Amino acid sequence: MAKLILNHLSKTFHLGGTAAVRDLSLTVREGGFLALLGPSGCGKTTVLRMIAGFEQPTDGSILLGERVLADASEMVPPEHRNMAMVFQSYALWPHMSVAENVGYPLKVRGVSSAKRQAKVLEALSAVRLEAYADRRPADLSGGQRQRVALARCLVTEPDVVLLDEPLANLDRHLRQEMEETFREFHARSGATMIYVTHDQAEAMALATDVAVMSEGRLLQMATPEDLYARPEGRLVGSLVGQGAILTLASSPGDQRQLDWAALKALYEERGMTTAEVLVRPQDVVISADGLPATVSSALFEGERYALRLTLADGQMLRAFSRTPAKVGDQVSVVIHSGWRL
Amino acid sequence: MMRVQNRGNSQPRWLFPFVLTVICLLSVLPLARLAVTGISSALQGRMGDLLTDAVVWHALYDTLVTSFWGMVAAVILGGAFALLLTLFDIRGKAALGFLFMLPTMIPPQVTALSWIGMTGPSSTLLKALGLAPPLGSPQPLYSIGGIALLFGVQNAPLVFLSLRAGLLALPRDGIEAARLSGASSWQVMKDIILPLSLPGLAAGAAIAFVSCVGNFGIPAILGIPASIYTLPTLIYTKFATFNSGTFGEVSVLSAMIGILSIIGLAVEGRVLRGRDYRVIGLTGQAAVFRMNGWRWFAELGLWLTIVVILVMPVTALVASSLAPAYGVPLNLSTATLHAYEEILFRQSITRTAFTNSISLSLATAFGLLVVTVLTGYFLVRSGSRLAPVLAALAEIPYALPGIVLAVALILLFAAPLPIIGISLYGTTWIILIAYFSSFFAVSLKPVVSAFRQIDPSLEEAARLAGADFCRRLTDIIVPLIAPAAGASVILVFLIACNELTVSALLWSAGTQTLGVAIYNLDDSGSFNLASALSVLVVLMVVAMMLVLETMANRLPKGVVPWRS
Ligand SMILES: Nc1ncnc2c1ncn2[C@@H]1O[C@H](COP(=O)(O)OP(=O)(O)O)[C@@H](O)[C@H]1O
Ligand SMILES: [Mg+2]
């Protein structure tokens, strides 16, 4: 195994059309778990399919360690990449039993029947489906099919495992269970995993690294913590986690983490040039001698209230509150911290 | 590590040249040869002789007249069945639909024989019932009207299917909205349903017309005894009196048939432009009107029609096949299976015909399947811009009347093959090639529908599992399209086993097919033997249709031709 490198990767489907992926470079470290996050249609699936070998890049290259998997002129076909993929539709072969589905990659590689059986059983037990070996995929539930697809990936010890929105077709309860299975799978197999999703919570919960895409470009790649605390640009800021973006006077210097004193000063300054500052709801606290604000909506979430506040100049903030608040209440808020985008 | 320049495509490199070669050999080459001969004989001035020949003009006129009235009859019959069975609460729809579709699947020469057995002074059935007209009175079907009527019966199911597909695609909510706004059933029919279903009807009429123009079996049996010739039968007689100018003449005659067919198909394409009824909308639930008191009346009419167009002719055919020696009236004690014994065990000609037809049909059905699985895969998966063009080329030989193709192949293979110097003319091989070309589209269609239904990720998963193209073909693709492949084999077998048009021109001693055998037996006056052979053919058709019917639920929509 080795790290996977995408090098200035571009893909245009139709000659002269707009590019689905533009100049995308990133490196996934060996054994890493990368989530590709972005809104629908931003090119995530296209990137994944280029890594798998189903699409050829129109520019740039893909490397696994030293080995060039694909560039604009040549590519290794998927059959020879030693990768595995969980498709959104699971792609289980309906005419084979669960055990045959899982064992097929081994059969193709010419593994003997006895050895195959042992490996299939091992893979099925990893996803807790030993009892279903002889069933047909049609007789399984959505979550079980998903796990069969995962077992099929596990069985050949692939260099890279690709997952294309694997949870999109499952209900909320099953999702949580499957997230757990994916984490286990990653820990157990040690494979490099690339996980495509448009759900930021899923990406943050699962991955060791998150790459945010928009309109075919890579916006930022970082650990989930970093991405949450220090997003680059307005798009990433609004895509990851909750928060509000304030437009304030731009501060001198290159300090990006701003405290209450700085924020208060900038809010009141009204300079000529402005900057955007991301404020997370947990940093907005209702207390005396802050900025005056009006509650414009209050939503009970069980453990707390989620408030939307309108500041005196009309800008919007989000905040949490333990005590009930009514629409129209006048409050005063202190912003403990903000991040200049 | 092998790296190839393959743009992420899943097909091996040889697939495109293979498909291109197959389609050129089966479709482009014969038709191009026909065009070349036609044009060159026209340039040599032979055209003049032909076009001043009154026989040719007469045949063209008779072709147009019989086809036109055949189309009218098909529209009336097929249109009424489609409207009643689709829009109204008739009981027993499935049975009625199946029985109504039978006449298209029964070979035309058998249809003609069965109707002859039902009418005229020598009808065994009428004689047994004491209803036969006096000896010496004419057989009423040996006429333009008789040919047109049978054209109508044979092709009514084409109109039925086309109109029905259109009716099923009607917007149900639109009809319900009209009724809620106070329109009566009659107004809804007149203002909404009829205008919306006209394209389906017109398209059905156009296909029926094309099918009549190319029909050989019916005018051969009903027309030739009365010296009525249509273009296909004229071509047949030209070959019977072969001379040096024959090739030029028949190529011009086939070109006439070809042009008439192309006009018909163009009309069909035009009225259906932008809506492919045959692919979409088949699942739609049509609005059902209640007939109340009229229902009995309508059901009676439908069943009576089935009795007249199907039950009576088939009964007459069975009666003819059981007929005892000439002059003895048929009843339970005089009925004899002698004719069946004769064709199955004594006559070497019919036994050879059975062997020939069955082996040719099996070879065609399975041989074509191998070709169409690869071709279908290419057409659906390649995303190539040439794919629609190739798909259209593959359709042409089946869309054109079989007689045109037969002429084209005779022209192509009349001379010994270049290089190897072997002549295929007069051998079984030329019939096999003609069948491959003619039924390519029949075999391709179910396979293509099946490919369209398969999620591409099933194959992509197999690629990542490490399976190369051949491996995927045997492990994944073929098992997934197996039901459609089965349907394709049965359909091709059924049609090939029953065809007469192509083999009538291409057979020679020892290579006769079932269709040719039936025609020759009738021609030589052995009407009871021809009838017995026809009864066996009808039984085979019904059996295979029932097999397809039971498979229908596991097949993609539109694969079973009489189901929609
Ligand atoms: N096979 C294809 N042919 C043409 N355009 C495509 C194809 N696949 C994807 N696209 C286009 O590329 C863009 C990115 O698509 P995709 O990678 O599927 O986005 P995502 O997975 O992020 O939703 C879309 O605009 C889509 O229409
Ligand atoms: Mg996608």
Side-chain angles (χ1 to χ4, degrees):
Chain A
M1 266 188 268
K3 58 187 176 183
L4 179 74
I5 302 160
L6 310 186
N7 192 9
H8 298 287
L9 205 57
S10 296
K11 175 75 188 178
T12 312
F13 280 103
H14 303 291
L15 217 64
T18 53
V21 175
R22 308 167 205 212
D23 197 24
L24 184 130
S25 299
L26 58 80
T27 302
V28 192
R29 59 188 170 78
E30 184 177 333
F33 191 151
L34 173 78
L36 263 183
L37 174 68
S40 182
C42 72
K44 308 178 296 289
T45 299
T46 308
V47 171
L48 209 65
R49 290 175 60 81
M50 283 195 282
I51 297 173
F54 298 131
E55 307 284 357
Q56 183 160 25
T58 32
D59 205 2
S61 56
I62 302 172
L63 292 92
L64 190 62
E66 305 286 293
R67 199 176 120 200
V68 180
L69 290 183
D71 55 31
S73 60
E74 282 184 316
M75 64 187 233
V76 179
E79 294 91 305
H80 301 292
R81 290 197 176 192
N82 196 27
M83 293 186 180
M85 183 159 173
V86 175
F87 293 83
Q88 198 168 346
S89 59
Y90 315 139
L92 299 180
W93 301 299
H95 59 292
M96 297 184 190
S97 70
V98 165
E100 284 168 337
N101 262 285
V102 174
Y104 186 70
L106 297 174
K107 192 171 158 193
V108 170
R109 285 166 170 77
V111 176
S112 75
S113 161
K115 205 165 159 200
R116 204 160 73 214
Q117 219 167 2
K119 283 214 166 195
V120 167
L121 215 67
E122 190 186 314
L124 281 178
S125 68
V127 294
R128 292 184 300 281
L129 279 178
E130 309 94 308
Y132 295 83
D134 295 325
R135 298 253 195 123
R136 295 267 158 171
D139 303 329
L140 302 180
S141 70
Q144 288 168 334
R145 286 180 203 175
Q146 180 74 265
R147 298 216 296 267
V148 177
L150 207 54
R152 186 170 66 186
C153 290
L154 198 63
V155 80
T156 49
E157 291 158 20
D159 294 336
V160 181
V161 176
L162 307 166
L163 304 104
D164 191 0
E165 312 221 13
L167 300 184
N169 292 336
L170 300 182
D171 61 41
R172 187 201 293 250
H173 171 74
L174 263 175
R175 280 172 182 229
Q176 275 171 359
E177 198 184 312
M178 284 310 300
E179 277 181 19
E180 193 50 48
T181 315
F182 287 143
R183 255 191 301 268
E184 248 173 57
F185 176 91
H186 181 236
R188 183 191 181 103
S189 66
T192 306
M193 287 174 66
I194 302 183
Y195 185 106
V196 160
T197 178
H198 64 262
D199 181 337
Q200 54 100 10
E202 211 173 281
M204 307 285 269
L206 280 169
T208 56
D209 296 278
V210 178
V212 184
M213 283 182 68
S214 169
E215 293 176 356
R217 285 180 217 282
L218 178 67
L219 297 181
Q220 185 178 6
M221 179 163 143
T223 62
E225 294 79 7
D226 244 13
L227 203 62
Y228 187 82
R230 288 177 284 281
E232 293 291 343
R234 189 188 170 95
L235 259 167
V236 182
S238 58
L239 209 66
V240 176
Q242 291 187 10
I245 293 168
L246 293 180
T247 306
L248 303 177
S250 75
S251 57
D254 44 26
Q255 177 73 12
R256 297 183 67 183
Q257 193 75 55
L258 305 169
D259 61 9
W260 168 231
L263 285 165
K264 188 166 194 263
L266 291 173
Y267 181 75
E268 282 158 0
E269 188 181 307
R270 317 223 157 271
M272 293 297 284
T273 55
T274 59
E276 293 186 319
V277 174
L278 174 70
V279 179
R280 300 289 185 192
Q282 66 270 28
D283 296 329
V284 179
V285 177
I286 297 178
S287 73
D289 37 270
L291 305 172
T294 319
V295 177
S296 57
S297 85
L299 205 70
F300 183 51
E301 287 183 340
E303 58 276 1
R304 64 193 178 197
Y305 290 83
L307 306 182
R308 274 165 180 271
L309 306 170
T310 312
L311 292 173
D313 63 354
Q315 298 204 65
M316 211 268 300
L317 269 184
R318 286 168 182 277
F320 295 137
S321 158
R322 284 171 179 279
T323 53
K326 282 201 304 291
V327 173
D329 282 358
Q330 297 292 325
V331 292
S332 136
V333 291
V334 170
I335 305 171
H336 282 310
S337 127
W339 172 257
R340 204 181 76 207
L341 292 167
Chain B
M1 178 47 58
M2 73 176 264
R3 286 204 282 155
V4 290
Q5 191 172 11
N6 87 336
R7 306 264 151 205
N9 271 346
S10 54
Q11 333 134 50
R13 266 187 240 197
W14 50 264
L15 192 63
F16 175 65
F18 172 82
V19 170
L20 197 66
T21 313
V22 163
I23 288 176
C24 281
L25 283 181
L26 294 183
S27 177
V28 179
L29 191 60
L31 297 176
R33 184 70 182 80
L34 179 66
V36 168
T37 310
I39 292 168
S40 70
S41 76
L43 292 182
Q44 286 162 16
R46 290 253 169 73
M47 191 83 158
D49 301 346
L50 197 67
L51 293 187
T52 51
D53 187 351
V55 176
V56 171
W57 290 108
H58 214 106
L60 178 63
Y61 176 77
D62 283 351
T63 307
L64 287 174
V65 170
T66 49
S67 301
F68 175 76
W69 289 111
M71 177 185 80
V72 170
V75 164
I76 293 172
L77 260 179
F81 262 73
L83 282 176
L84 286 171
L85 290 192
T86 315
L87 296 181
F88 294 93
D89 55 343
I90 302 286
R91 286 165 296 185
K93 284 181 184 178
L96 278 168
F98 183 83
L99 292 173
F100 188 69
M101 287 307 298
L102 256 172
T104 354
M105 302 309 287
I106 294 178
Q109 67 277 17
V110 171
T111 306
L113 283 182
S114 62
W115 280 72
I116 290 176
M118 191 169 75
T119 51
S122 55
S123 159
T124 315
L125 182 67
L126 294 185
K127 279 193 277 189
L129 299 173
L131 293 173
L135 275 177
S137 51
Q139 162 59 269
L141 292 176
Y142 288 169
S143 63
I144 295 279
I147 296 174
L149 175 68
L150 262 60
F151 276 175
V153 170
Q154 180 99 36
N155 294 312
L158 299 178
V159 179
F160 173 80
L161 281 182
S162 177
L163 177 57
R164 184 174 158 79
L167 290 175
L168 285 175
L170 287 180
R172 184 184 185 137
D173 40 6
I175 292 169
E176 282 170 350
R179 303 199 78 185
L180 280 176
S181 65
S184 70
S185 295
W186 170 243
Q187 277 171 315
V188 170
M189 191 78 160
K190 183 167 66 76
D191 297 337
I192 297 182
I193 295 177
L194 284 183
L196 279 175
S197 60
L198 268 181
L201 190 69
I207 318 170
F209 181 80
V210 173
S211 179
C212 293
V213 167
N215 195 307
F216 173 74
I218 289 172
I221 287 188
L222 298 184
I224 292 179
S227 297
I228 298 168
Y229 291 97
T230 61
L231 291 173
T233 51
L234 186 63
I235 291 178
Y236 180 74
T237 48
K238 291 262 175 210
F239 271 109
T241 56
F242 193 87
N243 63 40
S244 64
T246 301
F247 279 165
E249 285 173 13
V250 295
S251 61
V252 173
L253 290 175
S254 339
M256 284 182 175
I257 300 178
I259 289 167
L260 287 179
S261 312
I262 288 167
I263 293 173
L265 294 172
V267 168
E268 185 211 355
R270 200 178 163 80
V271 293
L272 286 185
R273 198 172 33 190
R275 55 184 126 181
D276 194 348
Y277 285 144
R278 289 155 303 180
V279 178
I280 53 151
L282 295 182
T283 51
Q285 180 70 49
V288 170
F289 294 109
R290 300 189 154 277
M291 291 195 92
N292 302 324
W294 289 95
R295 190 160 77 168
W296 279 103
F297 187 72
E299 285 170 354
L300 189 70
L302 291 171
W303 283 106
L304 266 181
T305 312
I306 294 286
V307 167
V308 172
I309 65 170
L310 185 68
V311 179
M312 277 170 37
V314 171
T315 314
L317 193 66
V318 174
S320 311
S321 74
L322 299 174
Y326 189 77
V328 183
L330 177 73
N331 57 40
L332 281 183
S333 60
T334 58
T336 163
L337 291 176
H338 168 80
Y340 292 91
E341 254 172 68
E342 193 72 17
I343 54 165
L344 286 176
F345 304 113
R346 300 228 178 84
Q347 297 254 352
S348 70
I349 298 222
T350 48
R351 289 174 53 189
T352 315
F354 267 112
T355 320
N356 284 344
S357 266
I358 290 176
S359 41
L360 275 170
S361 308
L362 283 177
T364 308
F366 284 101
L368 269 183
L369 185 64
V370 174
V371 176
T372 49
V373 164
L374 293 171
T375 308
Y377 182 86
F378 174 81
L379 293 181
V380 175
R381 288 279 182 267
S382 72
S384 156
R385 248 172 288 172
L386 274 179
V389 180
L390 291 176
L393 283 176
E395 289 275 337
I396 294 178
Y398 186 63
L400 283 181
I403 196 110
V404 177
L405 195 77
V407 168
L409 285 171
I410 291 177
L411 297 175
L412 195 60
F413 291 115
L417 290 180
I419 305 170
I420 44 177
I422 300 171
S423 176
L424 294 183
Y425 190 59
T427 67
T428 321
W429 295 103
I430 191 168
I431 304 182
L432 187 66
I433 294 172
Y435 282 4
F436 261 68
S437 173
S438 212
F439 307 133
F440 187 58
V442 179
S443 174
L444 187 62
K445 191 179 171 204
V447 174
V448 165
S449 328
F451 274 127
R452 286 198 204 288
Q453 281 198 339
I454 297 178
D455 181 355
S457 68
L458 289 177
E459 203 197 338
E460 287 169 354
R463 296 192 77 188
L464 281 176
D468 62 15
F469 180 71
C470 293
R471 194 79 204 235
R472 294 198 298 275
L473 205 62
T474 52
D475 291 349
I476 311 290
I477 298 171
V478 169
L480 288 178
I481 62 162
S488 150
V489 165
I490 295 178
L491 274 175
V492 172
F493 182 86
L494 188 63
I495 296 175
C497 222
N498 287 332
E499 77 71 45
L500 166 63
T501 320
V502 172
S503 49
L505 287 195
L506 298 180
W507 76 283
S508 60
T511 68
Q512 68 270 43
T513 61
L514 275 177
V516 171
I518 292 176
Y519 178 69
N520 286 350
L521 284 173
D522 174 61
D523 203 36
S524 64
S526 310
F527 191 69
N528 59 337
L529 298 189
S531 302
L533 200 50
S534 301
V535 169
L536 295 181
V537 165
V538 171
L539 286 179
M540 185 186 75
V541 169
V542 174
M544 293 206 163
M545 281 178 73
L546 286 174
V547 171
L548 280 178
E549 185 76 19
T550 54
M551 287 172 70
N553 289 335
R554 301 205 290 131
L555 295 171
K557 288 269 172 232
V559 164
V560 179
W562 56 88
R563 274 254 189 156
S564 54

